[in-house]
Amino acid sequence: MIFYYLDLLGVAVFAVSGVLAVSRRGLDLFGVLVVATLTAIGGGTLRDLLLDRHPIFWIADPIYLLVIAVATLGAVLYMRIRSHPGKVFLLADTLGLALFTLSGAQIAESLDMSPGIVVVMGTMTGVAGGVMRDMLSGKIPLILRRDIYATAALAGATLYLLLQALTMPRSWAFAFGLAAVVGLRLIAILHGLRLPVFRIP
Amino acid sequence: MIFYYLDLLGVAVFAVSGVLAVSRRGLDLFGVLVVATLTAIGGGTLRDLLLDRHPIFWIADPIYLLVIAVATLGAVLYMRIRSHPGKVFLLADTLGLALFTLSGAQIAESLDMSPGIVVVMGTMTGVAGGVMRDMLSGKIPLILRRDIYATAALAGATLYLLLQALTMPRSWAFAFGLAAVVGLRLIAILHGLRLPVFRIP
Amino acid sequence: MIFYYLDLLGVAVFAVSGVLAVSRRGLDLFGVLVVATLTAIGGGTLRDLLLDRHPIFWIADPIYLLVIAVATLGAVLYMRIRSHPGKVFLLADTLGLALFTLSGAQIAESLDMSPGIVVVMGTMTGVAGGVMRDMLSGKIPLILRRDIYATAALAGATLYLLLQALTMPRSWAFAFGLAAVVGLRLIAILHGLRLPVFRIP
């Protein structure tokens, strides 16, 4: 049940990040709604397609679309008051990354996938929505920037499995996994931390 | 039956729009054919994948690929005579947007989806082919430009449902939905109309 | 069985091409791994989704992910010694294009698809991974460049069917198909060959 609400939250924050990503593009309101929707359901839709889970989560349960509409409207109104989307964007994107990574991992795990698949599925679910948003809005995907991004997703999904292997209950492991993704990403942003970069000598 | 022919028409006009989109890129004929094919089947393929309709429409019925090949050849030959693709491109894209939006909505409706899903599925089916085409050819997706685009698809799909709720027969509602998408989009292009734009103050 | 090893090889070389494509972007190691993975499984995943083959190949058999990890590490280490990725990139991409084109065609054929579908499915499987890689890394997709690319895939898949129709055993036809894709592409690159270009007069 808690997973369901977290999934709704993930959809909402990714919708917000979609709104902020195109906030300077001069789209009309419905155009913004379409971009927000694609961002919000991209990762989970890919997850469900890959795992052959039908109906897709937002087709099975229309509440998701309602949440997206409300989150989009809220973000649009917020933008009329406060005009610097930078920090809020990074926060919404980070929270969305964390929530979808863990939900992707948890669902793959509940289908008895092997640990490697669980981690890959989690990471892919987490990064897909943001990649679609960035490519749609003509930006370089965050995944290709130098700060810790995919790495945070990978670490969170791995931690989630590891803690359960150490007999921690699933919901606690989920929470620690979330915290790991958010923490790693925010620390990396705040302190400009980077993993050793792969670069041609 | 009429829906089948309209679907074929949608595939054809999107193939043409794909050809025109890359007409200045110096692709060879087979490369053009691949781009045209991806543009033409992108929206419907996404629709079928999301709704778990297998086999996918163009796998089930090879006539679609034949239509794409013929439309592509026709567009290539046309381009050798008339060299200003702008207007024809917008027309083909608008018609494709309308046809796929309504076909997506109609198929979702025939699977007993809720009204919200029908509208979203219609809009998504309508815009997906064009988005893939634009991203593939390195352009800013039409969906992100300021004129009425996603809004037209949304309005058409909504009108289609609304008119049926008012007891209009399905095929009439389909026709009015089509006309709404094409009309809104063309009027917007011709008169430079835009919805109130969402922009940071 | 031989098809299985060739599929593994295809995954490996596309992973390498993914590494080389982002080698100058300053990603950290895990970021590189994510891009390599998406490149390597993109084409085959699309193939399995379109043909409704579940579980997806890399979900069914985790060895694929292991191969990707090893190939990625190998490519990263190689790049620390030799720093000119150009030729190796083209070679890895060409081999991946050939292997996935033929594997896509072979699998569609084994599902009794019509010849047109087999050729389209092969071409699409072959080009999809590279297109995703190029779009993800902000490059113009190879498919849109002027040298023979999609054409080579199309020719290879067609030859594969043609030779079998002439009663050649499947594995031989597969080998000739591979050779056709690689040969056409390499000859085109080496000699700057192009098909007659489709261009506005």
Side-chain angles (χ1 to χ4, degrees):
Chain A
M1 200 61 196
I2 185 77
F3 295 139
Y4 175 66
Y5 289 114
L6 288 174
D7 221 33
L8 284 177
L9 182 62
V11 164
V13 293
F14 258 138
V16 170
S17 84
V19 172
L20 301 185
V22 296
S23 65
R24 292 181 191 283
R25 304 295 294 252
L27 292 185
D28 61 48
L29 186 59
F30 289 112
V32 171
L33 189 59
V34 169
V35 174
T37 304
L38 291 178
T39 307
I41 65 180
T45 302
L46 183 65
R47 175 197 67 205
D48 287 356
L49 283 177
L50 291 177
L51 294 172
D52 201 22
R53 292 174 84 225
H54 288 281
I56 307 281
F57 73 105
W58 54 270
I59 295 179
D61 180 4
I63 199 80
Y64 284 100
L65 296 179
L66 197 68
V67 166
I68 289 170
V70 171
T72 299
L73 262 177
V76 167
L77 292 177
Y78 171 86
M79 291 293 293
R80 302 202 70 87
I81 307 168
R82 310 261 320 227
S83 62
H84 300 293
K87 280 178 195 168
V88 183
F89 171 77
L90 282 176
L91 207 66
D93 178 72
T94 297
L95 208 52
L97 175 70
L99 287 163
F100 273 111
T101 298
L102 271 295
S103 93
Q106 185 252 320
I107 286 171
E109 190 196 17
S110 74
L111 296 170
D112 290 321
M113 299 291 164
S114 64
I117 299 296
V118 170
V119 171
V120 169
M121 190 61 70
T123 306
M124 196 170 288
T125 307
V127 303
V131 165
M132 292 181 198
R133 175 198 62 212
D134 294 346
M135 289 176 63
L136 204 61
S137 55
K139 294 180 178 176
I140 297 171
L142 274 179
I143 200 181
L144 286 181
R145 307 229 188 113
R146 292 190 206 178
D147 44 9
I148 291 171
Y149 192 81
T151 309
L154 217 94
T158 307
L159 185 67
Y160 169 69
L161 283 185
L162 210 66
L163 292 177
Q164 285 189 83
L166 299 171
T167 72
M168 186 183 277
R170 175 170 297 181
S171 50
W172 279 84
F174 196 100
F176 276 100
L178 276 185
V181 179
V182 174
L184 269 175
R185 181 104 177 87
L186 290 190
I187 289 170
I189 292 173
L190 288 176
H191 296 280
L193 290 188
R194 292 169 190 174
L195 277 199
V197 154
F198 161 55
R199 189 186 281 287
I200 298 169
Chain B
M1 201 59 196
I2 184 79
F3 295 139
Y4 175 67
Y5 288 114
L6 288 174
D7 220 33
L8 284 177
L9 182 62
V11 164
V13 293
F14 258 139
V16 169
S17 84
V19 172
L20 299 185
V22 296
S23 66
R24 293 183 189 282
R25 303 297 293 255
L27 292 184
D28 61 46
L29 187 60
F30 289 112
V32 171
L33 189 59
V34 169
V35 174
T37 304
L38 291 178
T39 306
I41 65 180
T45 302
L46 183 65
R47 175 196 66 204
D48 286 356
L49 283 177
L50 292 177
L51 293 172
D52 202 23
R53 293 174 83 227
H54 289 280
I56 307 280
F57 73 105
W58 54 270
I59 294 179
D61 180 5
I63 199 82
Y64 284 101
L65 296 179
L66 197 68
V67 166
I68 290 170
V70 171
T72 300
L73 263 176
V76 167
L77 293 177
Y78 171 85
M79 290 294 293
R80 303 203 70 87
I81 307 168
R82 310 264 317 232
S83 61
H84 299 294
K87 280 178 197 169
V88 183
F89 170 78
L90 282 177
L91 207 67
D93 178 72
T94 297
L95 208 52
L97 175 70
L99 287 163
F100 273 112
T101 298
L102 270 295
S103 94
Q106 185 253 318
I107 286 172
E109 190 196 19
S110 73
L111 295 170
D112 290 322
M113 299 292 163
S114 64
I117 299 295
V118 170
V119 171
V120 170
M121 190 61 69
T123 306
M124 197 171 286
T125 306
V127 303
V131 166
M132 293 180 198
R133 174 199 62 212
D134 293 345
M135 290 176 62
L136 204 61
S137 55
K139 294 181 178 175
I140 296 172
L142 273 179
I143 200 183
L144 287 181
R145 307 227 190 117
R146 293 189 205 178
D147 43 9
I148 291 171
Y149 192 81
T151 308
L154 217 95
T158 307
L159 186 66
Y160 169 68
L161 283 185
L162 210 66
L163 292 177
Q164 286 189 81
L166 299 171
T167 72
M168 186 182 276
R170 177 170 297 180
S171 49
W172 279 84
F174 196 100
F176 276 99
L178 275 184
V181 180
V182 173
L184 270 176
R185 181 105 177 84
L186 290 191
I187 289 171
I189 292 173
L190 287 176
H191 297 278
L193 292 187
R194 292 169 190 176
L195 277 199
V197 154
F198 160 54
R199 187 187 283 285
I200 298 170
Chain C
M1 200 60 196
I2 185 78
F3 295 139
Y4 175 66
Y5 289 114
L6 288 174
D7 220 32
L8 284 177
L9 182 61
V11 164
V13 294
F14 258 138
V16 170
S17 85
V19 173
L20 301 184
V22 295
S23 66
R24 293 182 191 282
R25 303 296 294 254
L27 292 185
D28 61 46
L29 186 60
F30 289 111
V32 171
L33 190 59
V34 170
V35 174
T37 304
L38 291 178
T39 307
I41 65 180
T45 301
L46 183 66
R47 174 198 66 204
D48 287 356
L49 283 177
L50 292 177
L51 294 171
D52 202 22
R53 292 175 84 225
H54 289 280
I56 307 280
F57 73 105
W58 54 270
I59 295 180
D61 180 5
I63 199 82
Y64 284 101
L65 296 179
L66 196 69
V67 165
I68 290 170
V70 171
T72 300
L73 262 177
V76 167
L77 292 177
Y78 172 86
M79 290 294 293
R80 302 203 70 86
I81 307 168
R82 311 264 318 231
S83 61
H84 299 295
K87 279 178 197 168
V88 183
F89 171 77
L90 282 177
L91 207 67
D93 179 72
T94 297
L95 208 52
L97 175 70
L99 287 163
F100 273 110
T101 298
L102 271 295
S103 94
Q106 184 252 319
I107 286 171
E109 190 196 17
S110 74
L111 295 171
D112 291 322
M113 300 291 164
S114 64
I117 299 295
V118 171
V119 170
V120 169
M121 190 61 69
T123 306
M124 197 171 287
T125 307
V127 304
V131 166
M132 292 180 197
R133 175 199 62 214
D134 293 346
M135 289 176 64
L136 204 60
S137 55
K139 294 180 179 176
I140 297 171
L142 274 179
I143 200 182
L144 286 181
R145 308 229 189 114
R146 292 191 206 177
D147 43 9
I148 291 171
Y149 192 82
T151 308
L154 217 96
T158 307
L159 186 66
Y160 169 69
L161 283 185
L162 209 66
L163 292 176
Q164 285 190 81
L166 299 171
T167 72
M168 185 182 278
R170 176 170 298 181
S171 50
W172 279 85
F174 196 99
F176 276 99
L178 276 184
V181 180
V182 174
L184 269 176
R185 182 103 177 86
L186 291 190
I187 289 171
I189 292 173
L190 288 176
H191 297 279
L193 291 188
R194 292 168 190 176
L195 278 199
V197 154
F198 161 54
R199 188 186 283 285
I200 299 169

